[in-house]
Amino acid sequence: MAEACGTDVLGYVTEGPGLSCYALSEGTVYRTYVSTARGLEPAMAYYGLLDRAPLGRHEEGEETHWLRRHDEYEEA
């Protein structure tokens, strides 16, 4: 997947979205929850919209990577 995005694995993992929850107890901070990638779907509203579209997310295999940066689309 990293190669499909035009980056290396380290860049793909470190630049991806994440969600962490923290709790403070008696002066100590604890990370109580962490999630990345598919675990973030409830927080990303566009997945729900795509799931209702005729082609859905159009995720047929690893070769199809539909989410691209604005300058990575082919010229019309």
Side-chain angles (χ1 to χ4, degrees), residues 2 37 48 69 73:
R69 295 178 189 99
Y73 288 92

Side-chain angles (χ1 to χ4, degrees), residues 40-61:
L40 295 174
E41 288 183 8
M44 296 189 275
Y46 56 86
Y47 278 124
L49 296 173
L50 286 172
D51 289 342
R52 288 159 177 81
L55 293 177
R57 297 180 192 186
H58 195 58
E59 295 179 318
E60 302 299 324

Side-chain angles (χ1 to χ4, degrees), residues 3-49:
E3 196 172 301
C5 293
T7 187
D8 57 13
V9 174
L10 180 62
Y12 182 79
V13 172
T14 57
E15 292 187 23
L19 174 70
S20 295
C21 295
Y22 298 88
L24 177 63
S25 178
E26 298 180 9
T28 302
V29 177
Y30 297 94
R31 184 160 71 169
T32 60
Y33 178 81
V34 64
S35 184
T36 60
R38 293 282 188 180
L40 295 174
E41 288 183 8
M44 296 189 275
Y46 56 86
Y47 278 124
L49 296 173

